[in-house]
Amino acid sequence: MSLQNCSMILKCGLILLSLHTLVPKTFGNDTENLKAFIDLTEFSYAEKCEHVANEKWKFIYNPQNETLLYAWEEAQKDYAALKKHEVEALQNNSHTELTDDFVEYQYNTQIKPGDALLDTSKLDQLISFSVKATFLEMGANQTSNTRQEIEQLLSSNVDLERKQSAWTQWHRRLSPLLTDFSSTLSFVSEAATANGIDSVEGYWEFLSVYPGGYESIQSMWGSIAELHNKVVTFVKNRLAEKCKVKLHDDGIPAYCLGSLDGNDWTPLASDVLPYGNVTYSIKKKLWDKNLRGKLAYRSASAIGHTVLHEVPHASFWENSRFNQSCVTRFLNFCYKGTRVTTCHHASLTNFLTAHKVVAKVLTSQMGLVGIEKLPFLNSANRYSGFEEGISELFSILSVSPAQLQTLGLVSNDTDTDHSQITSLMITALDVLPRLAYYISADVWRINVIKNGTFEPKVLLETWWQYRKQYEGVTSDHTDIPTFLDDEFIASNKPYLSKFLGTLLGFQIYEYMNEGRSEVRYNNVVNNHVNSYIINATRESASDNWTTMINKYLEITEVNADALLSYFQPLVEYLDNEPEDMYSMTTDQQSDIERLEKLYASSDVTTTARTTTTRMSKPKLLKPSSEKINSSSLSPPAATPIVPEKEKEGTVKRPNGKIIPESEKPANAPNGENEYTSDINTSKAVWAVAAVLVATVAICVIAIFGRRRCVKSQTPKNRRYV
Ligand SMILES: *[C@@H]1O[C@H](CO)[C@@H](O)[C@H](O)[C@H]1NC(C)=O
Ligand SMILES: *[C@@H]1O[C@H](CO)[C@@H](O)[C@H](O)[C@H]1NC(C)=O
Ligand SMILES: *[C@@H]1O[C@H](CO)[C@@H](O)[C@H](O)[C@H]1NC(C)=O
Ligand SMILES: *[C@@H]1O[C@H](CO)[C@@H](O)[C@H](O)[C@H]1NC(C)=O
Ligand SMILES: *[C@@H]1O[C@H](CO)[C@@H](O)[C@H](O)[C@H]1NC(C)=O
Ligand SMILES: *[C@@H]1O[C@H](CO)[C@@H](O)[C@H](O)[C@H]1NC(C)=O
Ligand SMILES: *[C@@H]1O[C@H](CO)[C@@H](O)[C@H](O)[C@H]1NC(C)=O
Ligand SMILES: *[C@@H]1O[C@H](CO)[C@@H](O)[C@H](O)[C@H]1NC(C)=O
Ligand SMILES: *[C@@H]1O[C@H](CO)[C@@H](O)[C@H](O)[C@H]1NC(C)=O
Ligand SMILES: *[C@@H]1O[C@H](CO)[C@@H](O)[C@H](O)[C@H]1NC(C)=O
Ligand SMILES: *[C@@H]1O[C@H](CO)[C@@H](O)[C@H](O)[C@H]1NC(C)=O
């Protein structure tokens, strides 16, 4: 975004129009002047951020090309330099007493941007390190198997030795980075000091906008640990034979968890879920109903329409790639840059991921409500638990018993208890190991820094100690640095907000179902859009998320109660030592494998044939001229997923723009979704235009002197250090 983009007549018209209205208001009042100054910064942030996103995207597509790797690294350094520069600019210009809470919050967000305040050489070192770790984590310098191939192997039925050796080999490649990691990790306390905070915990709590966060998650973990432990024990018993767990009475070997990181256990569903027929049905129907690739995202966007009255903008669908590697990568740190790359493969893990991603796309879209509250600073410099919470909410809803039935993933005559336990167990496999991992990873890092024990050997030993203690996960060889395979850890980012957000997701779920506890598991969501949740989503994008959940959702603190009560039936089930469990039969397993092969090969020959086989009475989208009028606010429950018709005709939008039919949300009841999306797009255009307007207005008036104005408009290729 820059003024050069102002080529569109519309935008320039808007600028002229708004100049007229804005100018008189901008004079005078100090708070307003400061706000205008911060808005300018927001604008610069947005521009640089876009650049980082674009460079990263290019690199993701050509991970072997080191030129692109370094371009991405440069972009990040440039962004950090901008943050630093803006801190100084604000210090030079601000002599205002802060009277407005929102302006004060934004002021702090700009003046304490986090790691960017590190000493320049250390900052560069940190960025180079995290970029290099990502490079290896993507398997870029790997000549043998790709990350996707290894993960496929780990989640498939091959023998344990092969899994162990693939897993070990993969992670050992990162060992050379250990020494560098020792030093970059130590930068956290320096970054804390640079931001005026004296402890590492305090610093990460500050960045996550949750004072006292670590103490409270420790105590929450105290109440979750028992549930987690029950699930781990259950999984361990189910895997005993397959993973030879008996030899490791104290934990489950990490290479047996179906993925390289082992913190999401949904790949274990086939082996672990207690009712084979239900599991089989879900896995098979995901293929049959074509709930994969783009269509899985369409299905998630239907939930978005119900809960937030928002669907992803056309640009998300246009920019994303749904037929790539299964290692889903999602860029959402910039407004225009939001996009995903994923594969056209049906699995529970991909299905859940689609929902989480769409939730984040929507929260990021909804944050841009207008010039009054711009989200760029907040999303760049703070970690929002609310965003994580909405994301968690979507994944809870996506596998709720009602949703599984609505999508036809389990048949209506399935035993209710069986489908409920299956649904709860899927969510448990998704959520609990992740929570354990989050807290383990943060507490470990904090203690390493406190103890000052940065020697690689000690790092490795303590890492596995913590993993075992919190996660119940072990490794035969403790010289395997799985933490380096984690982008978050490699870039010194805290998991605190993710932990809090995961619990918050259950609290929002409970909030939505208030007074309806009797139908808790049958009810996807209340039948109407909840404007409190929408307002909380909008405002927490630019403001203190802790305050917003309090203001709109009456959640005064994040706690584990909602999560525990959600899983209560599962606890009862596990306590009663279930006897009626049965696994998928070998026939069922080979049928799933057959489907995978069948669809994989048909994808290769032609992508257009994706909607053919065995669809149970597909409801095809009618052309929108033949309008069906069902309520657009009805839950996804009311609108079965509709297979995407590739290469179909086109429909006309109200504004006359031709769009391909395939761009319609899968289960738009009547084009209403399209309409919503249109409104939102124009809202976004307005917001962006408004930013431009403000820039021009402010520059014209030159409140802050010509100097700053000129700087903001010139391309910032140099580094301000
Ligand atoms: C500045 O303007 C805002 C809103 O226009 C108002 O709330 C605030 O009290 C004013 N501040 C001062 C110091 O006049
Ligand atoms: C890497 O990317 C750069 C920039 O796009 C391009 O000029 C160069 O040819 C690429 N190198 C290789 C080996 O593909
Ligand atoms: C801030 O003020 C100092 C001293 O006047 C000056 O050297 C520096 O360039 C200014 N920085 C910015 C970003 O305006
Ligand atoms: C990738 O491998 C090549 C050759 O093995 C090596 O020279 C290069 O430094 C590696 N790149 C990174 C980023 O590790
Ligand atoms: C699973 O489904 C098959 C086929 O529908 C049926 O024959 C079998 O009895 C079911 N197994 C259980 C344990 O319900
Ligand atoms: C993926 O989809 C894009 C656009 O839909 C297409 O151009 C491309 O060829 C596809 N790639 C593969 C590997 O199927
Ligand atoms: C199953 O239940 C859903 C929702 O209750 C309903 O829409 C669908 O028609 C039912 N399917 C069958 C085969 O009864
Ligand atoms: C830090 O020191 C404490 C007390 O000596 C010890 O219990 C803990 O395991 C150490 N943690 C790390 C990560 O070194
Ligand atoms: C949500 O925000 C809109 C626009 O700011 C406002 O009109 C509406 O009253 C708010 N709703 C609630 C429940 O606060
Ligand atoms: C955010 O809100 C919470 C609760 O209202 C408060 O404790 C915290 O200090 C606020 N943080 C910031 C940075 O304003
Ligand atoms: C559609 O709308 C028309 C007029 O608004 C109404 O008469 C009709 O009953 C509606 N049809 C359905 C299926 O709701």
Side-chain angles (χ1 to χ4, degrees):
M1 287 197 300
S2 77
L3 284 180
Q4 290 133 7
N5 288 359
C6 177
S7 53
M8 284 173 66
I9 291 168
L10 169 74
K11 279 185 190 165
C12 289
L14 283 176
I15 289 173
L16 290 177
L17 179 80
S18 310
L19 258 180
H20 178 68
T21 53
L22 267 184
V23 169
K25 275 198 242 155
T26 331
F27 280 116
N29 186 321
D30 270 356
T31 306
E32 281 185 2
N33 289 349
L34 177 62
K35 174 78 173 67
F37 188 81
I38 293 173
D39 283 351
L40 264 183
T41 306
E42 296 260 12
F43 185 61
S44 316
Y45 265 57
E47 192 182 354
K48 275 279 182 289
C49 184
E50 218 64 68
H51 181 56
V52 177
N54 290 336
E55 293 301 327
K56 181 167 185 184
W57 189 252
K58 280 190 220 156
F59 167 63
I60 287 175
Y61 269 90
N62 298 286
Q64 307 293 346
N65 187 332
E66 290 197 33
T67 316
L68 295 176
L69 177 73
Y70 296 126
W72 173 42
E73 181 179 331
E74 274 312 304
Q76 285 186 1
K77 288 180 179 169
D78 216 28
Y79 193 21
L82 168 78
K83 292 182 179 183
K84 227 174 194 170
H85 171 260
E86 293 297 325
V87 169
E88 214 181 289
L90 188 59
Q91 276 164 346
N92 278 5
N93 279 292
S94 149
H95 310 287
T96 318
E97 218 175 289
L98 296 162
T99 49
D100 180 281
D101 281 351
F102 175 64
V103 177
E104 183 177 358
Y105 179 80
Q106 290 222 311
Y107 174 86
N108 280 322
T109 313
Q110 178 172 344
I111 209 141
K112 293 184 175 177
D115 289 354
L117 281 189
L118 273 173
D119 174 271
T120 308
S121 69
K122 292 193 168 150
L123 183 62
D124 286 356
Q125 203 181 326
L126 175 61
I127 293 171
S128 307
F129 175 76
S130 70
V131 163
K132 201 166 175 195
T134 310
F135 181 73
L136 293 177
E137 177 256 320
M138 291 182 70
N141 237 10
Q142 168 95 334
T143 42
S144 49
N145 289 326
T146 64
R147 189 179 183 92
Q148 174 178 1
E149 283 159 354
I150 306 230
E151 300 225 295
Q152 228 161 38
L153 182 107
L154 290 174
S155 61
S156 67
N157 248 333
V158 303
D159 63 274
L160 208 54
E161 281 71 32
R162 265 186 74 194
K163 287 189 187 182
Q164 180 170 14
S165 96
W167 181 87
T168 310
Q169 248 180 26
W170 179 271
H171 285 297
R172 283 228 172 102
R173 283 181 322 125
L174 284 95
S175 298
L177 296 182
L178 261 173
T179 329
D180 284 348
F181 176 71
S182 298
S183 51
T184 53
L185 183 59
S186 72
F187 297 165
V188 179
S189 41
E190 284 163 59
T193 313
N195 284 273
I197 293 161
D198 57 13
S199 72
V200 174
E201 285 119 309
Y203 176 55
W204 279 351
E205 286 165 357
F206 170 77
L207 294 182
S208 313
V209 202
Y210 204 87
Y214 283 104
E215 209 180 304
S216 68
I217 69 168
Q218 286 276 14
S219 104
M220 289 184 240
W221 181 250
S223 55
I224 302 169
E226 194 188 337
L227 166 65
H228 175 255
N229 210 12
K230 282 184 177 147
V231 171
V232 172
T233 309
F234 178 79
V235 170
K236 200 154 64 176
N237 291 338
R238 297 283 287 169
L239 292 177
E241 205 176 318
K242 200 163 190 172
C243 292
K244 306 198 174 80
V245 185
K246 284 286 179 300
L247 299 175
H248 306 267
D249 243 350
D250 47 7
I252 308 177
Y255 52 81
C256 199
L257 292 171
S259 67
L260 279 166
D261 298 335
N263 54 24
D264 165 12
W265 293 7
T266 48
L268 302 177
S270 311
D271 295 323
V272 167
L273 296 184
Y275 302 110
N277 277 4
V278 184
T279 317
Y280 171 64
S281 166
I282 295 175
K283 293 196 82 125
K284 180 165 156 50
K285 292 288 164 59
L286 278 174
W287 285 104
D288 287 354
K289 309 234 167 221
N290 209 20
L291 280 168
R292 56 190 178 130
K294 202 176 202 170
L295 267 191
Y297 286 75
R298 296 281 187 198
S299 172
S301 112
I303 291 190
H305 188 247
T306 308
V307 177
L308 300 174
H309 212 289
E310 176 96 3
V311 295
H313 292 165
S315 62
F316 170 74
W317 304 109
E318 281 156 13
N319 294 335
S320 294
R321 292 288 166 263
F322 298 96
N323 57 0
Q324 307 290 320
S325 153
C326 278
V327 184
T328 302
R329 293 188 190 269
F330 174 48
L331 265 61
N332 82 321
F333 50 90
C334 299
Y335 167 65
K336 274 200 294 182
T338 304
R339 59 203 120 165
V340 71
T341 158
T342 186
C343 62
H344 200 226
H345 180 98
S347 76
L348 255 180
T349 313
N350 289 344
F351 183 71
L352 287 163
T353 305
H355 286 79
K356 291 175 194 163
V357 165
V358 165
K360 291 193 172 183
V361 172
L362 299 182
T363 48
S364 133
Q365 271 176 210
M366 292 169 72
L368 198 59
V369 282
I371 186 163
E372 288 304 313
K373 301 208 158 185
L374 294 170
F376 308 117
L377 268 168
N378 194 38
S379 66
N381 294 343
R382 297 293 180 266
Y383 301 97
S384 166
F386 187 82
E387 188 189 356
E388 299 295 336
I390 291 288
S391 161
E392 197 57 54
L393 173 72
F394 274 49
S395 72
I396 299 169
L397 293 174
S398 73
V399 288
S400 65
Q403 183 72 355
L404 290 178
Q405 212 172 73
T406 306
L407 294 176
L409 296 180
V410 300
S411 62
N412 288 3
D413 53 10
T414 308
D415 183 308
T416 334
D417 285 345
H418 290 193
S419 70
Q420 179 176 323
I421 291 298
T422 303
S423 155
L424 284 171
M425 191 64 96
I426 293 171
T427 303
L429 290 178
D430 175 30
V431 167
L432 298 173
R434 239 177 337 109
L435 282 175
Y437 181 79
Y438 293 158
I439 190 168
S440 166
D442 272 14
V443 173
W444 174 68
R445 285 182 289 171
I446 289 171
N447 285 340
V448 166
I449 297 167
K450 272 190 185 160
N451 292 0
T453 44
F454 293 104
E455 304 83 28
K457 191 167 171 296
V458 186
L459 282 181
L460 286 164
E461 269 168 20
T462 49
W463 169 251
W464 286 105
Q465 265 168 27
Y466 278 69
R467 284 205 81 171
K468 184 175 154 198
Q469 181 193 335
Y470 284 97
E471 300 177 67
V473 169
T474 55
S475 165
D476 295 341
H477 308 284
T478 54
D479 64 335
I480 296 169
T482 59
F483 50 86
L484 294 175
D485 194 55
D486 179 331
E487 209 178 331
F488 244 68
I489 296 184
S491 49
N492 280 357
K493 292 180 183 167
Y495 272 119
L496 177 60
S497 65
K498 286 183 182 277
F499 189 99
L500 292 167
T502 305
L503 297 185
L504 181 63
F506 288 88
Q507 289 178 282
I508 302 175
Y509 179 85
E510 190 162 76
Y511 167 85
M512 282 192 348
N513 288 290
E514 221 165 9
R516 290 171 157 246
S517 50
E518 78 282 3
V519 283
R520 171 169 201 121
Y521 296 106
N522 292 321
N523 171 35
V524 171
V525 279
N526 285 352
N527 229 353
H528 54 84
V529 173
N530 185 310
S531 64
Y532 292 97
I533 295 182
I534 293 180
N535 283 10
T537 311
R538 289 203 176 123
E539 297 201 15
S540 54
S542 54
D543 207 341
N544 187 334
W545 68 271
T546 325
T547 313
M548 291 310 137
I549 58 171
N550 195 350
K551 180 172 168 193
Y552 288 109
L553 310 180
E554 288 164 11
I555 297 174
T556 50
E557 54 160 26
V558 175
N559 65 42
D561 298 349
L563 177 138
L564 292 174
S565 93
Y566 185 85
F567 284 120
Q568 190 52 38
L570 184 65
V571 172
E572 280 160 22
Y573 175 78
L574 295 176
D575 282 347
N576 290 332
E577 296 184 4
E579 278 167 1
D580 59 344
M581 300 190 300
Y582 59 96
S583 298
M584 273 165 71
T585 62
T586 40
D587 280 356
Q588 287 173 332
Q589 284 186 5
S590 43
D591 193 38
I592 298 291
E593 277 162 26
R594 185 185 59 79
L595 278 176
E596 287 174 5
K597 288 203 184 88
L598 177 77
Y599 281 101
S601 62
S602 76
D603 277 351
V604 170
T605 47
T606 160
T607 42
R609 251 180 43 202
T610 48
T611 60
T612 48
T613 24
R614 273 188 317 284
M615 212 97 58
S616 50
K617 284 193 188 168
K619 277 196 187 174
L620 294 179
L621 266 182
K622 296 225 170 86
S624 67
S625 53
E626 251 181 72
K627 280 199 173 168
I628 329 154
N629 45 347
S630 65
S631 162
S632 63
L633 303 188
S634 58
T639 50
I641 190 79
V642 179
E644 179 181 21
K645 294 189 295 173
E646 313 235 354
K647 303 185 177 164
E648 273 291 338
T650 56
V651 288
K652 252 193 166 168
R653 287 207 206 194
N655 62 8
K657 196 176 152 208
I658 306 280
I659 50 151
E661 172 88 49
S662 62
E663 288 304 312
K664 286 172 74 74
N667 44 2
N670 56 359
E672 186 94 18
N673 283 357
E674 206 54 53
Y675 187 51
T676 321
S677 159
D678 240 12
I679 290 176
N680 290 334
T681 310
S682 62
K683 222 186 323 181
V685 169
W686 260 101
V688 170
V691 177
L692 288 166
V693 168
T695 316
V696 173
I698 291 162
C699 290
V700 167
I701 304 158
I703 292 171
F704 299 104
R706 192 138 292 158
R707 193 190 33 166
R708 173 170 168 98
C709 202
V710 169
K711 263 187 203 154
S712 291
Q713 301 323 320
T714 49
K716 294 196 185 85
N717 294 330
R718 58 216 155 85
R719 301 243 305 274
Y720 302 93
V721 191

